[in-house]
Amino acid sequence: MLRKDRWRLIFMAAVIAISAVVVLRGKVNLGLDLRGGAHIVLQASGTKDVPLTPDSLDRLRTVLEKRVNQYGLTEPTLQKQGADRMIVDLPGVEDPQAALKLIGSTALLEFREVVQTLYSAAPLPPQAERKNYDSDEEFNAAVKRWNDYKVQLEASQAKAMEQAKDFKGEEGQIVASDDSGSIYLLGRPMLTGNELSNATSGFDQLGRPDVSLEFNSTGSELFEKATEATVGRQLAMVLDGSVISAPRVNERISGGKAQITGHFSVEEAKGLAVMLRAGALPVNVSILENRSVGPSLGSDSIKAGAYAGMIGLAAVFLFMLVYYRLWGVTADLSLCTTLLVLFALLMAFKATLTLPGIAGIILTIGMAVDSNILIFERIKEEMRAGKTPNAALTSGFSNALTTILDSNITTVIAAAVLYYYGSGPLRGFAMTLTLGIIASLFSALVVNRVMLQLMVNYGSKTFQARK
């Protein structure tokens, strides 16, 4: 065996070994159409103060990326569509409503003084429990009283809110309510979330979920001045126009730290901390589409794709074995290597496999075999011309190389155009097709060459039989 053949064998073995390790230890990221999840389309709109521009849309995408990444969602896809829309795909999301709240909330945090409490909501008592009553009649009567009181309370809150809408305060003041239904007249913002340096979720001294805030140097000064100015009064924390907490300030607070407590669940506190860390959305957004893809649909797609792939693979294997016999064995082994390297590349680049991506894999199988057929036919032509097996092998690969590279390079160019201008499934198809071409070139030009060279060196009669 020549020195270059030995190096080619070592290179082949190294790539196959590394690919096998990556495939055994890695995991293919499945796209929304295969794994299920949430598909959200956002409509961005500007204001007089913040007009909608390409730069503001880019900043919107940056803030959304920070939110979904910090929340721990795996393989999110965010893409601009046109001049004012953003597509957000979140594979594997089990709670679409929580994801929608995380994505669609502006998360504008403001600290405002409570100027006046316009309506103080009465607390809703706990619901009746059957174990506290001697009979079903008493329990049913208690449930009815509780429901009647709830309806009366909600009607009272709605009436108060309607009246509060007509309340005219000074310039910069707003009317806002909290979760309990209490309505406040709030002063101008004394501090905003723009001065935050960090926000983390945790638990307070009573074990209730809370969000701890840390301000930067500017925010620390503003927060200290705000608490000093409101000693003995309430300082409301307002998120997107709703009061989430309105504690009474007993003394000036320095150190640049604050705590938000409220009726949070652990997940709600975590989501609020994520939104505050990522920052407020630079423009207003509205939800145009919120579609959930069930995992059963993804499972059916995977099964159908795998079934089609196996049928195609088996048909190609059989054709190569029948038509080329022993040469067909090398082509089939080369094809198996192509699939191994392809999946290793998908895992290494953390690419997301979609349903069109499965189609790209099936297309890769056909293209890989096409390269092998070109090589085999060139070798047969050289052998019919009277060349020795070794010379025919060398000339066959040299003559087929230009055609193989030309066809694959043009395909890569088309895939690059699809990836650049396409979105979602088209990009998944383009990525899978490109990686498949790289894997097929390696298998055809390296793996196939090594196996055919071994046949020439150790079984020349068998090789000549292909003439």
Side-chain angles (χ1 to χ4, degrees), residues 27 29-39 71-77 89-96 99 291-295 298 352:
K27 182 180 179 180
N29 297 316
L30 299 180
L32 185 68
D33 51 358
L34 298 180
R35 187 179 176 185
H39 173 80
Y71 198 72
L73 300 176
T74 58
E75 295 304 316
T77 302
D89 287 337
L90 304 174
V93 171
E94 298 179 356
D95 188 354
R291 175 165 49 88
S292 297
V293 179
T352 300

PDB file of all heavy atoms in Angstrom, residues 27 29-39 71-77 89-96 99 291-295 298 352:
ATOM      1  N   LYS A  27     -27.220  13.912  20.878  1.00  0.00           N
ATOM      2  CA  LYS A  27     -28.667  13.808  20.678  1.00  0.00           C
ATOM      3  C   LYS A  27     -29.075  14.797  19.601  1.00  0.00           C
ATOM      4  O   LYS A  27     -28.640  15.945  19.599  1.00  0.00           O
ATOM      5  CB  LYS A  27     -29.403  14.112  21.983  1.00  0.00           C
ATOM      6  CG  LYS A  27     -30.916  13.970  21.882  1.00  0.00           C
ATOM      7  CD  LYS A  27     -31.568  14.295  23.222  1.00  0.00           C
ATOM      8  CE  LYS A  27     -33.080  14.174  23.130  1.00  0.00           C
ATOM      9  NZ  LYS A  27     -33.728  14.495  24.436  1.00  0.00           N
ATOM     10  N   ASN A  29     -31.357  17.417  17.914  1.00  0.00           N
ATOM     11  CA  ASN A  29     -32.394  18.369  18.312  1.00  0.00           C
ATOM     12  C   ASN A  29     -33.535  18.321  17.299  1.00  0.00           C
ATOM     13  O   ASN A  29     -33.318  18.539  16.111  1.00  0.00           O
ATOM     14  CB  ASN A  29     -31.815  19.785  18.377  1.00  0.00           C
ATOM     15  CG  ASN A  29     -30.742  19.916  19.422  1.00  0.00           C
ATOM     16  OD1 ASN A  29     -30.884  19.426  20.533  1.00  0.00           O
ATOM     17  ND2 ASN A  29     -29.652  20.581  19.068  1.00  0.00           N
ATOM     18  N   LEU A  30     -34.720  18.024  17.784  1.00  0.00           N
ATOM     19  CA  LEU A  30     -35.882  17.912  16.906  1.00  0.00           C
ATOM     20  C   LEU A  30     -36.605  19.254  16.817  1.00  0.00           C
ATOM     21  O   LEU A  30     -36.732  19.968  17.815  1.00  0.00           O
ATOM     22  CB  LEU A  30     -36.845  16.839  17.421  1.00  0.00           C
ATOM     23  CG  LEU A  30     -36.275  15.425  17.512  1.00  0.00           C
ATOM     24  CD1 LEU A  30     -37.328  14.468  18.039  1.00  0.00           C
ATOM     25  CD2 LEU A  30     -35.758  14.953  16.160  1.00  0.00           C
ATOM     26  N   GLY A  31     -37.053  19.592  15.628  1.00  0.00           N
ATOM     27  CA  GLY A  31     -37.753  20.838  15.407  1.00  0.00           C
ATOM     28  C   GLY A  31     -39.186  20.793  15.885  1.00  0.00           C
ATOM     29  O   GLY A  31     -39.683  19.773  16.384  1.00  0.00           O
ATOM     30  N   LEU A  32     -39.875  21.920  15.707  1.00  0.00           N
ATOM     31  CA  LEU A  32     -41.246  22.055  16.190  1.00  0.00           C
ATOM     32  C   LEU A  32     -42.180  21.040  15.554  1.00  0.00           C
ATOM     33  O   LEU A  32     -43.058  20.490  16.224  1.00  0.00           O
ATOM     34  CB  LEU A  32     -41.741  23.472  15.891  1.00  0.00           C
ATOM     35  CG  LEU A  32     -43.118  23.850  16.413  1.00  0.00           C
ATOM     36  CD1 LEU A  32     -43.097  23.913  17.929  1.00  0.00           C
ATOM     37  CD2 LEU A  32     -43.562  25.191  15.843  1.00  0.00           C
ATOM     38  N   ASP A  33     -41.996  20.748  14.260  1.00  0.00           N
ATOM     39  CA  ASP A  33     -42.903  19.837  13.570  1.00  0.00           C
ATOM     40  C   ASP A  33     -42.697  18.385  13.968  1.00  0.00           C
ATOM     41  O   ASP A  33     -43.560  17.542  13.717  1.00  0.00           O
ATOM     42  CB  ASP A  33     -42.768  19.987  12.049  1.00  0.00           C
ATOM     43  CG  ASP A  33     -41.316  19.904  11.591  1.00  0.00           C
ATOM     44  OD1 ASP A  33     -40.426  19.770  12.454  1.00  0.00           O
ATOM     45  OD2 ASP A  33     -41.073  19.998  10.377  1.00  0.00           O
ATOM     46  N   LEU A  34     -41.563  18.075  14.606  1.00  0.00           N
ATOM     47  CA  LEU A  34     -41.300  16.702  15.030  1.00  0.00           C
ATOM     48  C   LEU A  34     -41.455  16.521  16.537  1.00  0.00           C
ATOM     49  O   LEU A  34     -41.876  15.461  16.999  1.00  0.00           O
ATOM     50  CB  LEU A  34     -39.875  16.291  14.627  1.00  0.00           C
ATOM     51  CG  LEU A  34     -39.567  16.272  13.126  1.00  0.00           C
ATOM     52  CD1 LEU A  34     -38.132  15.839  12.894  1.00  0.00           C
ATOM     53  CD2 LEU A  34     -40.520  15.342  12.391  1.00  0.00           C
ATOM     54  N   ARG A  35     -41.127  17.541  17.294  1.00  0.00           N
ATOM     55  CA  ARG A  35     -41.133  17.425  18.747  1.00  0.00           C
ATOM     56  C   ARG A  35     -42.394  17.984  19.383  1.00  0.00           C
ATOM     57  O   ARG A  35     -42.751  17.649  20.507  1.00  0.00           O
ATOM     58  CB  ARG A  35     -39.906  18.156  19.308  1.00  0.00           C
ATOM     59  CG  ARG A  35     -39.681  17.988  20.794  1.00  0.00           C
ATOM     60  CD  ARG A  35     -38.436  18.732  21.202  1.00  0.00           C
ATOM     61  NE  ARG A  35     -38.224  18.680  22.633  1.00  0.00           N
ATOM     62  CZ  ARG A  35     -37.261  19.334  23.267  1.00  0.00           C
ATOM     63  NH1 ARG A  35     -36.415  20.071  22.577  1.00  0.00           N
ATOM     64  NH2 ARG A  35     -37.133  19.257  24.565  1.00  0.00           N
ATOM     65  N   GLY A  36     -43.094  18.849  18.667  1.00  0.00           N
ATOM     66  CA  GLY A  36     -44.224  19.552  19.247  1.00  0.00           C
ATOM     67  C   GLY A  36     -43.757  20.806  19.977  1.00  0.00           C
ATOM     68  O   GLY A  36     -42.573  20.966  20.265  1.00  0.00           O
ATOM     69  N   GLY A  37     -44.676  21.690  20.288  1.00  0.00           N
ATOM     70  CA  GLY A  37     -44.313  22.914  20.987  1.00  0.00           C
ATOM     71  C   GLY A  37     -45.236  24.053  20.596  1.00  0.00           C
ATOM     72  O   GLY A  37     -46.403  23.832  20.244  1.00  0.00           O
ATOM     73  N   ALA A  38     -44.708  25.273  20.667  1.00  0.00           N
ATOM     74  CA  ALA A  38     -45.514  26.469  20.410  1.00  0.00           C
ATOM     75  C   ALA A  38     -44.966  27.235  19.219  1.00  0.00           C
ATOM     76  O   ALA A  38     -43.747  27.399  19.081  1.00  0.00           O
ATOM     77  CB  ALA A  38     -45.541  27.364  21.644  1.00  0.00           C
ATOM     78  N   HIS A  39     -45.875  27.701  18.375  1.00  0.00           N
ATOM     79  CA  HIS A  39     -45.536  28.543  17.224  1.00  0.00           C
ATOM     80  C   HIS A  39     -46.257  29.868  17.416  1.00  0.00           C
ATOM     81  O   HIS A  39     -47.496  29.923  17.434  1.00  0.00           O
ATOM     82  CB  HIS A  39     -45.967  27.870  15.926  1.00  0.00           C
ATOM     83  CG  HIS A  39     -45.805  28.736  14.714  1.00  0.00           C
ATOM     84  ND1 HIS A  39     -44.597  28.916  14.083  1.00  0.00           N
ATOM     85  CD2 HIS A  39     -46.712  29.488  14.013  1.00  0.00           C
ATOM     86  CE1 HIS A  39     -44.756  29.731  13.046  1.00  0.00           C
ATOM     87  NE2 HIS A  39     -46.033  30.094  12.991  1.00  0.00           N
ATOM     88  N   TYR A  71     -34.761  31.464  30.186  1.00  0.00           N
ATOM     89  CA  TYR A  71     -35.825  30.636  30.748  1.00  0.00           C
ATOM     90  C   TYR A  71     -35.506  29.150  30.632  1.00  0.00           C
ATOM     91  O   TYR A  71     -36.124  28.325  31.288  1.00  0.00           O
ATOM     92  CB  TYR A  71     -37.145  30.945  30.041  1.00  0.00           C
ATOM     93  CG  TYR A  71     -38.367  30.479  30.812  1.00  0.00           C
ATOM     94  CD1 TYR A  71     -38.768  31.131  31.965  1.00  0.00           C
ATOM     95  CD2 TYR A  71     -39.109  29.399  30.374  1.00  0.00           C
ATOM     96  CE1 TYR A  71     -39.886  30.708  32.675  1.00  0.00           C
ATOM     97  CE2 TYR A  71     -40.227  28.973  31.078  1.00  0.00           C
ATOM     98  CZ  TYR A  71     -40.605  29.643  32.224  1.00  0.00           C
ATOM     99  OH  TYR A  71     -41.710  29.219  32.928  1.00  0.00           O
ATOM    100  N   GLY A  72     -34.532  28.806  29.792  1.00  0.00           N
ATOM    101  CA  GLY A  72     -34.115  27.417  29.658  1.00  0.00           C
ATOM    102  C   GLY A  72     -34.810  26.654  28.555  1.00  0.00           C
ATOM    103  O   GLY A  72     -34.752  25.421  28.520  1.00  0.00           O
ATOM    104  N   LEU A  73     -35.478  27.353  27.633  1.00  0.00           N
ATOM    105  CA  LEU A  73     -36.123  26.673  26.512  1.00  0.00           C
ATOM    106  C   LEU A  73     -35.064  26.222  25.515  1.00  0.00           C
ATOM    107  O   LEU A  73     -34.155  26.978  25.173  1.00  0.00           O
ATOM    108  CB  LEU A  73     -37.119  27.608  25.834  1.00  0.00           C
ATOM    109  CG  LEU A  73     -38.244  28.119  26.737  1.00  0.00           C
ATOM    110  CD1 LEU A  73     -39.116  29.112  25.987  1.00  0.00           C
ATOM    111  CD2 LEU A  73     -39.094  26.977  27.257  1.00  0.00           C
ATOM    112  N   THR A  74     -35.153  24.980  25.052  1.00  0.00           N
ATOM    113  CA  THR A  74     -34.122  24.409  24.192  1.00  0.00           C
ATOM    114  C   THR A  74     -34.414  24.669  22.724  1.00  0.00           C
ATOM    115  O   THR A  74     -35.551  24.558  22.267  1.00  0.00           O
ATOM    116  CB  THR A  74     -34.017  22.881  24.418  1.00  0.00           C
ATOM    117  OG1 THR A  74     -35.285  22.282  24.150  1.00  0.00           O
ATOM    118  CG2 THR A  74     -33.620  22.591  25.853  1.00  0.00           C
ATOM    119  N   GLU A  75     -33.378  25.045  21.990  1.00  0.00           N
ATOM    120  CA  GLU A  75     -33.434  25.232  20.544  1.00  0.00           C
ATOM    121  C   GLU A  75     -34.582  26.115  20.079  1.00  0.00           C
ATOM    122  O   GLU A  75     -35.371  25.723  19.202  1.00  0.00           O
ATOM    123  CB  GLU A  75     -33.515  23.858  19.857  1.00  0.00           C
ATOM    124  CG  GLU A  75     -32.290  23.005  20.054  1.00  0.00           C
ATOM    125  CD  GLU A  75     -31.009  23.694  19.587  1.00  0.00           C
ATOM    126  OE1 GLU A  75     -30.996  24.293  18.505  1.00  0.00           O
ATOM    127  OE2 GLU A  75     -30.016  23.622  20.320  1.00  0.00           O
ATOM    128  N   PRO A  76     -34.739  27.313  20.662  1.00  0.00           N
ATOM    129  CA  PRO A  76     -35.769  28.216  20.127  1.00  0.00           C
ATOM    130  C   PRO A  76     -35.342  28.769  18.772  1.00  0.00           C
ATOM    131  O   PRO A  76     -34.158  28.870  18.473  1.00  0.00           O
ATOM    132  CB  PRO A  76     -35.825  29.337  21.168  1.00  0.00           C
ATOM    133  CG  PRO A  76     -34.438  29.368  21.744  1.00  0.00           C
ATOM    134  CD  PRO A  76     -33.963  27.936  21.739  1.00  0.00           C
ATOM    135  N   THR A  77     -36.318  29.109  17.944  1.00  0.00           N
ATOM    136  CA  THR A  77     -36.053  29.713  16.634  1.00  0.00           C
ATOM    137  C   THR A  77     -36.801  31.034  16.543  1.00  0.00           C
ATOM    138  O   THR A  77     -38.021  31.069  16.703  1.00  0.00           O
ATOM    139  CB  THR A  77     -36.505  28.779  15.502  1.00  0.00           C
ATOM    140  OG1 THR A  77     -35.822  27.518  15.618  1.00  0.00           O
ATOM    141  CG2 THR A  77     -36.176  29.392  14.149  1.00  0.00           C
ATOM    142  N   ASP A  89     -40.571  30.053  17.305  1.00  0.00           N
ATOM    143  CA  ASP A  89     -40.871  28.622  17.442  1.00  0.00           C
ATOM    144  C   ASP A  89     -40.174  28.103  18.687  1.00  0.00           C
ATOM    145  O   ASP A  89     -38.956  28.262  18.844  1.00  0.00           O
ATOM    146  CB  ASP A  89     -40.390  27.845  16.214  1.00  0.00           C
ATOM    147  CG  ASP A  89     -41.263  28.093  14.992  1.00  0.00           C
ATOM    148  OD1 ASP A  89     -42.431  28.487  15.184  1.00  0.00           O
ATOM    149  OD2 ASP A  89     -40.777  27.912  13.866  1.00  0.00           O
ATOM    150  N   LEU A  90     -40.936  27.461  19.567  1.00  0.00           N
ATOM    151  CA  LEU A  90     -40.406  26.958  20.836  1.00  0.00           C
ATOM    152  C   LEU A  90     -40.676  25.462  20.932  1.00  0.00           C
ATOM    153  O   LEU A  90     -41.703  25.035  21.469  1.00  0.00           O
ATOM    154  CB  LEU A  90     -41.058  27.701  22.012  1.00  0.00           C
ATOM    155  CG  LEU A  90     -40.931  29.226  21.993  1.00  0.00           C
ATOM    156  CD1 LEU A  90     -41.747  29.836  23.126  1.00  0.00           C
ATOM    157  CD2 LEU A  90     -39.480  29.652  22.097  1.00  0.00           C
ATOM    158  N   PRO A  91     -39.768  24.614  20.413  1.00  0.00           N
ATOM    159  CA  PRO A  91     -39.980  23.169  20.463  1.00  0.00           C
ATOM    160  C   PRO A  91     -39.973  22.655  21.905  1.00  0.00           C
ATOM    161  O   PRO A  91     -39.198  23.124  22.745  1.00  0.00           O
ATOM    162  CB  PRO A  91     -38.785  22.603  19.677  1.00  0.00           C
ATOM    163  CG  PRO A  91     -38.263  23.751  18.881  1.00  0.00           C
ATOM    164  CD  PRO A  91     -38.547  24.970  19.694  1.00  0.00           C
ATOM    165  N   GLY A  92     -40.853  21.687  22.183  1.00  0.00           N
ATOM    166  CA  GLY A  92     -40.847  21.034  23.484  1.00  0.00           C
ATOM    167  C   GLY A  92     -41.540  21.792  24.591  1.00  0.00           C
ATOM    168  O   GLY A  92     -41.515  21.353  25.749  1.00  0.00           O
ATOM    169  N   VAL A  93     -42.166  22.930  24.303  1.00  0.00           N
ATOM    170  CA  VAL A  93     -42.847  23.705  25.336  1.00  0.00           C
ATOM    171  C   VAL A  93     -44.121  22.984  25.766  1.00  0.00           C
ATOM    172  O   VAL A  93     -44.969  22.667  24.938  1.00  0.00           O
ATOM    173  CB  VAL A  93     -43.177  25.128  24.832  1.00  0.00           C
ATOM    174  CG1 VAL A  93     -44.079  25.849  25.818  1.00  0.00           C
ATOM    175  CG2 VAL A  93     -41.907  25.908  24.627  1.00  0.00           C
ATOM    176  N   GLU A  94     -44.251  22.709  27.086  1.00  0.00           N
ATOM    177  CA  GLU A  94     -45.409  21.984  27.586  1.00  0.00           C
ATOM    178  C   GLU A  94     -46.549  22.919  27.990  1.00  0.00           C
ATOM    179  O   GLU A  94     -47.695  22.499  28.073  1.00  0.00           O
ATOM    180  CB  GLU A  94     -44.993  21.122  28.784  1.00  0.00           C
ATOM    181  CG  GLU A  94     -43.958  20.056  28.420  1.00  0.00           C
ATOM    182  CD  GLU A  94     -43.538  19.234  29.621  1.00  0.00           C
ATOM    183  OE1 GLU A  94     -43.994  19.553  30.742  1.00  0.00           O
ATOM    184  OE2 GLU A  94     -42.755  18.284  29.454  1.00  0.00           O
ATOM    185  N   ASP A  95     -46.227  24.184  28.289  1.00  0.00           N
ATOM    186  CA  ASP A  95     -47.248  25.149  28.697  1.00  0.00           C
ATOM    187  C   ASP A  95     -47.230  26.334  27.729  1.00  0.00           C
ATOM    188  O   ASP A  95     -46.515  27.318  27.955  1.00  0.00           O
ATOM    189  CB  ASP A  95     -46.979  25.624  30.129  1.00  0.00           C
ATOM    190  CG  ASP A  95     -48.115  26.483  30.681  1.00  0.00           C
ATOM    191  OD1 ASP A  95     -49.036  26.795  29.904  1.00  0.00           O
ATOM    192  OD2 ASP A  95     -48.068  26.835  31.871  1.00  0.00           O
ATOM    193  N   PRO A  96     -48.001  26.267  26.637  1.00  0.00           N
ATOM    194  CA  PRO A  96     -47.983  27.352  25.644  1.00  0.00           C
ATOM    195  C   PRO A  96     -48.394  28.701  26.221  1.00  0.00           C
ATOM    196  O   PRO A  96     -47.890  29.740  25.790  1.00  0.00           O
ATOM    197  CB  PRO A  96     -48.979  26.868  24.575  1.00  0.00           C
ATOM    198  CG  PRO A  96     -49.072  25.389  24.767  1.00  0.00           C
ATOM    199  CD  PRO A  96     -48.885  25.163  26.236  1.00  0.00           C
ATOM    200  N   ALA A  99     -45.474  30.288  27.911  1.00  0.00           N
ATOM    201  CA  ALA A  99     -44.535  30.762  26.891  1.00  0.00           C
ATOM    202  C   ALA A  99     -45.051  32.035  26.242  1.00  0.00           C
ATOM    203  O   ALA A  99     -44.274  32.965  25.967  1.00  0.00           O
ATOM    204  CB  ALA A  99     -44.332  29.675  25.831  1.00  0.00           C
ATOM    205  N   ARG A 291     -50.117  28.989  17.950  1.00  0.00           N
ATOM    206  CA  ARG A 291     -50.518  27.631  17.558  1.00  0.00           C
ATOM    207  C   ARG A 291     -49.649  26.607  18.273  1.00  0.00           C
ATOM    208  O   ARG A 291     -48.434  26.739  18.340  1.00  0.00           O
ATOM    209  CB  ARG A 291     -50.389  27.474  16.044  1.00  0.00           C
ATOM    210  CG  ARG A 291     -50.652  26.089  15.517  1.00  0.00           C
ATOM    211  CD  ARG A 291     -50.853  26.119  14.018  1.00  0.00           C
ATOM    212  NE  ARG A 291     -49.807  26.855  13.334  1.00  0.00           N
ATOM    213  CZ  ARG A 291     -48.664  26.302  12.920  1.00  0.00           C
ATOM    214  NH1 ARG A 291     -48.429  25.006  13.154  1.00  0.00           N
ATOM    215  NH2 ARG A 291     -47.773  27.023  12.270  1.00  0.00           N
ATOM    216  N   SER A 292     -50.300  25.603  18.834  1.00  0.00           N
ATOM    217  CA  SER A 292     -49.593  24.515  19.506  1.00  0.00           C
ATOM    218  C   SER A 292     -49.544  23.288  18.604  1.00  0.00           C
ATOM    219  O   SER A 292     -50.549  22.924  17.988  1.00  0.00           O
ATOM    220  CB  SER A 292     -50.276  24.148  20.832  1.00  0.00           C
ATOM    221  OG  SER A 292     -50.235  25.234  21.731  1.00  0.00           O
ATOM    222  N   VAL A 293     -48.369  22.673  18.530  1.00  0.00           N
ATOM    223  CA  VAL A 293     -48.183  21.440  17.765  1.00  0.00           C
ATOM    224  C   VAL A 293     -48.025  20.301  18.753  1.00  0.00           C
ATOM    225  O   VAL A 293     -47.101  20.317  19.579  1.00  0.00           O
ATOM    226  CB  VAL A 293     -46.944  21.524  16.852  1.00  0.00           C
ATOM    227  CG1 VAL A 293     -46.766  20.217  16.093  1.00  0.00           C
ATOM    228  CG2 VAL A 293     -47.092  22.683  15.881  1.00  0.00           C
ATOM    229  N   GLY A 294     -48.951  19.339  18.709  1.00  0.00           N
ATOM    230  CA  GLY A 294     -48.914  18.239  19.662  1.00  0.00           C
ATOM    231  C   GLY A 294     -47.777  17.270  19.382  1.00  0.00           C
ATOM    232  O   GLY A 294     -47.384  17.070  18.233  1.00  0.00           O
ATOM    233  N   PRO A 295     -47.243  16.627  20.437  1.00  0.00           N
ATOM    234  CA  PRO A 295     -46.166  15.665  20.236  1.00  0.00           C
ATOM    235  C   PRO A 295     -46.587  14.441  19.437  1.00  0.00           C
ATOM    236  O   PRO A 295     -45.762  13.786  18.821  1.00  0.00           O
ATOM    237  CB  PRO A 295     -45.776  15.277  21.671  1.00  0.00           C
ATOM    238  CG  PRO A 295     -46.978  15.606  22.496  1.00  0.00           C
ATOM    239  CD  PRO A 295     -47.595  16.801  21.851  1.00  0.00           C
ATOM    240  N   GLY A 298     -45.845  15.125  15.883  1.00  0.00           N
ATOM    241  CA  GLY A 298     -44.410  14.990  15.666  1.00  0.00           C
ATOM    242  C   GLY A 298     -43.980  13.533  15.615  1.00  0.00           C
ATOM    243  O   GLY A 298     -43.171  13.138  14.774  1.00  0.00           O
ATOM    244  N   THR A 352     -31.060  21.758  14.090  1.00  0.00           N
ATOM    245  CA  THR A 352     -32.396  21.291  14.429  1.00  0.00           C
ATOM    246  C   THR A 352     -32.970  20.504  13.258  1.00  0.00           C
ATOM    247  O   THR A 352     -33.050  21.005  12.144  1.00  0.00           O
ATOM    248  CB  THR A 352     -33.318  22.478  14.762  1.00  0.00           C
ATOM    249  OG1 THR A 352     -32.768  23.197  15.870  1.00  0.00           O
ATOM    250  CG2 THR A 352     -34.706  21.991  15.125  1.00  0.00           C
TER     251      THR A 352
END
